[in-house]
Amino acid sequence: MLFISFCSINFLACKSGKNTNKTTLNDSIRTDGILYAKGFWIEQCKGYQLLHIKDPQNKNSTEYIFALRKRGSTPNIPPNTAIIDLPIKRLICMTSLQLSNFIRLEATENVVGISSTRFLSNSQMQKQLANGQTKKIGIEGDFDPEIILSLSPDIILISPFKQGGYDAMKEVGIPLIPHLGYKEMNPLGQAEWIKLVGLLIAKEKKAEEIFTGIQERYNRLKQLTSNVKLRPIVLSGEIHGNSWYAVGGKSFLAEIFKDAGADYVFKDDSHAGGINLDFETVYNQADKPQYWRILNSYPGKYSYNVLKAQDARYADFRAFKEKGIIYCNMQEQSYYENMPMEPDLLLSDFIKVFHPKLLPDYQPTYYQLLKE
């Protein structure tokens, strides 16, 4: 049986991958060409590489280290270090964000298992599911160990800070590697995780070329808004139950808004992830934002009437009155399986809304103003 490289202590603990030397993000010398991502970096060693993974939103979080070696080689690797033989041929993805890296690298054949397929629309992955090349392993909290073992994956990419449910996987003896792209606070940092996937599956050059293109396009677009004088205010989220779920002021999306030449209404909030607010807190700010970003999955044509029917108080929002709803329907767009690798298109969408004269001929990809 292979080693077990994951168990649950708090969010995640890695018996054989845990860094006993307590190296921090600031202790390592970055010579790996990673420019924006804070959640992983590579240390070059004699005959192998050390992959460091850490929660990019918390510099005091546990660090996990994996030794990456060429399959068949026997370098002198420190004891108690999890070893991954490269290249990886078969693996399991847990999220659409992870899958987006393989889709962009045209390497979905490496993905032999996935969890939820709720929003999956990629035609190649649909084909692989239909012919059995890729199988569903269940959802978080209800994984099927027998299916996982039958797939014989080299590794499983996990998202340890989400709901979890990885207890069933601890016993199968397959290395579990955290993929924390969704925790990155910089849009380019999230996209840069394609370099790690490229390294794991021997497509480093292609991954580097893809990311370089994304970086260049994103930074050119960002430069367009560097001198805008009027920065509109934007709100994000909806009410669910008794809480309004929004993104924090230091989040990926807040950074996109800033780069697109707008101010997020909660830009002074210190959270990098999601925040839950009571409706009154949001309602008290509702006369300020000219724009309101909404992402959901609606079975039909979404409209201002639909929004008002969901909650009559929405009609009091300035963005509602001024027809400033920025909308994306996940039933019509392959959002989570493509967007993580297209921050440049996401930025273009928002620039088109906030400062349309800067991109007069651009046709939105994900988000556009709701017309009716």
Side-chain angles (χ1 to χ4, degrees):
M1 178 176 285
L2 297 173
F3 60 84
I4 299 174
S5 64
F6 170 89
C7 65
S8 178
I9 300 178
N10 292 330
F11 289 116
L12 174 72
C14 183
K15 288 182 179 178
S16 50
K18 188 173 181 179
N19 179 12
T20 57
N21 293 325
K22 297 182 180 180
T23 304
T24 66
L25 283 170
N26 295 326
D27 292 332
S28 293
I29 299 174
R30 301 294 292 267
T31 59
D32 54 2
I34 306 303
L35 304 175
Y36 302 90
K38 303 298 183 184
F40 82 94
W41 65 103
I42 308 295
E43 183 181 347
Q44 301 293 332
C45 302
K46 187 174 182 180
Y48 66 97
Q49 298 168 300
L50 285 178
L51 165 62
H52 300 254
I53 297 178
K54 192 178 179 76
D55 181 357
Q57 296 180 11
N58 181 4
K59 66 180 181 180
N60 296 317
S61 66
T62 302
E63 181 180 317
Y64 306 93
I65 297 180
F66 301 86
L68 309 178
R69 69 181 181 187
K70 184 177 180 180
R71 196 175 298 275
S73 67
T74 57
N76 184 22
I77 295 173
N80 300 318
T81 304
I83 298 174
I84 306 294
D85 289 316
L86 302 184
I88 298 298
K89 297 296 185 182
R90 301 170 61 83
L91 58 92
I92 291 174
C93 282
M94 288 292 163
T95 68
S96 296
L97 188 152
Q98 297 165 3
L99 187 60
S100 71
N101 295 159
F102 295 91
I103 291 173
R104 194 62 177 268
L105 285 166
E106 298 180 316
T108 58
E109 71 276 2
N110 293 86
V111 181
V112 297
I114 57 176
S115 55
S116 174
T117 58
R118 181 181 176 190
F119 296 115
L120 181 67
S121 62
N122 179 264
S123 59
Q124 180 57 36
M125 284 303 302
Q126 293 282 14
K127 180 179 178 181
Q128 289 178 206
L129 285 166
N131 65 24
Q133 184 180 351
T134 301
K135 295 184 181 297
K136 292 186 285 187
I137 65 163
I139 60 174
E140 288 186 347
D142 191 24
F143 297 122
D144 190 324
E146 292 186 5
I147 293 179
I148 293 172
L149 279 173
S150 72
L151 296 174
S152 301
D154 298 320
I155 63 169
I156 301 175
L157 295 177
I158 62 172
S159 297
F161 298 98
K162 290 196 170 183
Q163 295 178 23
Y166 299 111
D167 288 345
M169 293 185 174
K170 290 191 297 182
E171 305 305 323
V172 301
I174 298 167
L176 310 182
I177 299 181
H179 187 303
L180 305 181
Y182 69 98
K183 299 277 283 184
E184 294 288 346
M185 295 168 281
N186 185 300
L188 290 174
Q190 178 170 280
E192 199 166 21
W193 279 74
I194 195 174
K195 292 182 180 179
L196 173 56
V197 170
L199 172 63
L200 294 176
I201 65 173
K203 290 198 173 188
E204 301 101 311
K205 183 178 179 181
K206 185 169 185 176
E208 183 68 40
E209 290 173 350
I210 289 171
F211 179 76
T212 297
I214 294 169
Q215 175 191 6
E216 291 175 351
R217 291 189 296 273
Y218 190 96
N219 286 332
R220 281 199 304 269
L221 289 161
K222 182 178 174 180
Q223 189 62 32
L224 286 178
T225 66
S226 60
N227 295 315
V228 295
K229 293 182 172 58
L230 297 177
R231 298 178 64 88
I233 299 173
V234 58
L235 173 69
S236 179
E238 294 177 87
I239 192 168
H240 295 282
N242 296 320
S243 296
W244 185 288
Y245 178 81
V247 295
K250 305 302 178 186
S251 66
F252 163 97
L253 192 60
E255 187 73 13
I256 288 267
F257 290 151
K258 182 180 74 173
D259 292 344
D263 287 331
Y264 181 41
V265 67
F266 300 119
K267 67 178 182 179
D268 294 328
D269 175 82
S270 61
H271 294 88
I275 54 176
N276 287 309
L277 305 168
D278 60 81
F279 186 83
E280 290 303 317
T281 298
V282 177
Y283 192 79
N284 289 337
Q285 300 285 332
D287 61 332
K288 298 177 183 177
Q290 298 100 313
Y291 297 102
W292 174 9
R293 169 261 188 186
I294 297 176
L295 170 71
N296 62 28
S297 179
Y298 185 76
K301 186 176 181 181
Y302 203 69
S303 67
Y304 284 89
N305 286 335
V306 169
L307 190 58
K308 185 177 179 180
Q310 292 173 342
D311 195 309
R313 295 171 295 181
Y314 286 160
D316 296 331
F317 286 32
R318 178 180 177 182
F320 187 100
K321 294 176 181 178
E322 298 180 2
K323 295 293 190 291
I325 305 297
I326 311 168
Y327 181 63
C328 176
N329 190 339
M330 289 186 292
Q331 291 209 7
E332 300 173 354
Q333 297 290 341
S334 303
Y335 188 79
Y336 284 116
E337 65 190 60
N338 289 328
M339 179 279 297
M341 292 308 306
E342 296 179 334
D344 50 325
L345 295 182
L346 198 61
L347 180 59
S348 297
D349 286 359
F350 289 127
I351 292 176
K352 180 67 175 180
V353 171
F354 302 142
H355 307 284
K357 292 182 180 179
L358 295 178
L359 294 174
D361 300 320
Y362 176 73
Q363 296 299 315
T365 302
Y366 297 106
Y367 288 96
Q368 53 189 314
L369 284 173
L370 197 61
K371 295 178 180 178
E372 299 178 0

